[in-house]
Amino acid sequence: MSRAGYDFDAAYQRVLQLTGAKSQVELAKLLGLTQSSVWDVINRAADIPPSWLVALVEKYGVSPLWIKSGQGPQRLSRSLEEIPLKELLSEVGRRLDAIILQPLAGSMKMPYERLAEDYSGINYSKHRAGSGVTPVSEE
């Protein structure tokens, strides 16, 4: 057990497993570090540095909790297969609305949020009567 309150060696092995690094040099290259900084962390075996965790989250989408403890999901994000269709379609619609409506709102000199609320379907629970837009059921 390290001074950080978890098994450093096991956490380091999870980092190697995740990155596929076979050496300190490879790990340093993958995380954008120097080999000497990796050696220093391993030699102290005190804690996985925050800079490593940030690099691992950004590059691999891995959960810092999983790195440190081996518990919980390994990844922070879900694969497309894990996302319910309704949630996926909602997100696609939200992004398309932003792509289409933001430039339109700018050209109309209208706040994007108001245009999105009136026309996008994102906030149909807040639909205002008489706006000329027919809400679509979210079922």
Side-chain angles (χ1 to χ4, degrees):
M1 187 75 63
S2 75
R3 288 179 272 155
Y6 61 90
D7 185 345
F8 174 84
D9 293 329
Y12 179 67
Q13 289 306 311
R14 283 187 286 277
V15 169
L16 294 178
Q17 172 194 344
L18 175 74
T19 61
K22 303 285 187 238
S23 68
Q24 292 177 21
V25 173
E26 283 183 43
L27 182 61
K29 184 181 266 187
L30 289 167
L31 297 180
L33 306 167
T34 63
Q35 188 275 328
S36 61
S37 66
V38 172
W39 181 87
D40 186 49
V41 168
I42 295 167
N43 191 43
R44 286 184 287 115
D47 198 3
I48 300 288
S51 60
W52 286 28
L53 294 174
V54 168
L56 291 165
V57 167
E58 288 177 348
K59 190 166 187 170
Y60 298 95
V62 70
S63 164
L65 176 64
W66 180 82
I67 289 291
K68 288 186 171 190
S69 69
Q71 298 177 355
Q74 181 180 4
R75 304 281 178 183
L76 291 174
S77 60
R78 300 176 287 179
S79 69
L80 288 177
E81 293 80 25
E82 298 172 306
I83 301 172
L85 182 59
K86 183 176 180 179
E87 187 180 328
L88 183 61
L89 290 174
S90 177
E91 179 65 14
V92 168
R94 186 189 66 74
R95 290 181 184 203
L96 284 174
D97 285 343
I99 292 168
I100 294 166
L101 292 178
Q102 282 180 340
L104 182 61
S107 68
M108 294 173 64
K109 295 183 172 52
M110 173 186 278
Y112 165 72
E113 292 78 17
R114 180 171 168 217
L115 188 65
E117 182 179 325
D118 286 346
Y119 298 104
S120 73
I122 294 172
N123 296 316
Y124 272 26
S125 62
K126 298 179 181 178
H127 176 73
R128 292 191 309 253
S131 69
V133 177
T134 305
V136 175
S137 171
E138 291 189 28
E139 294 178 13

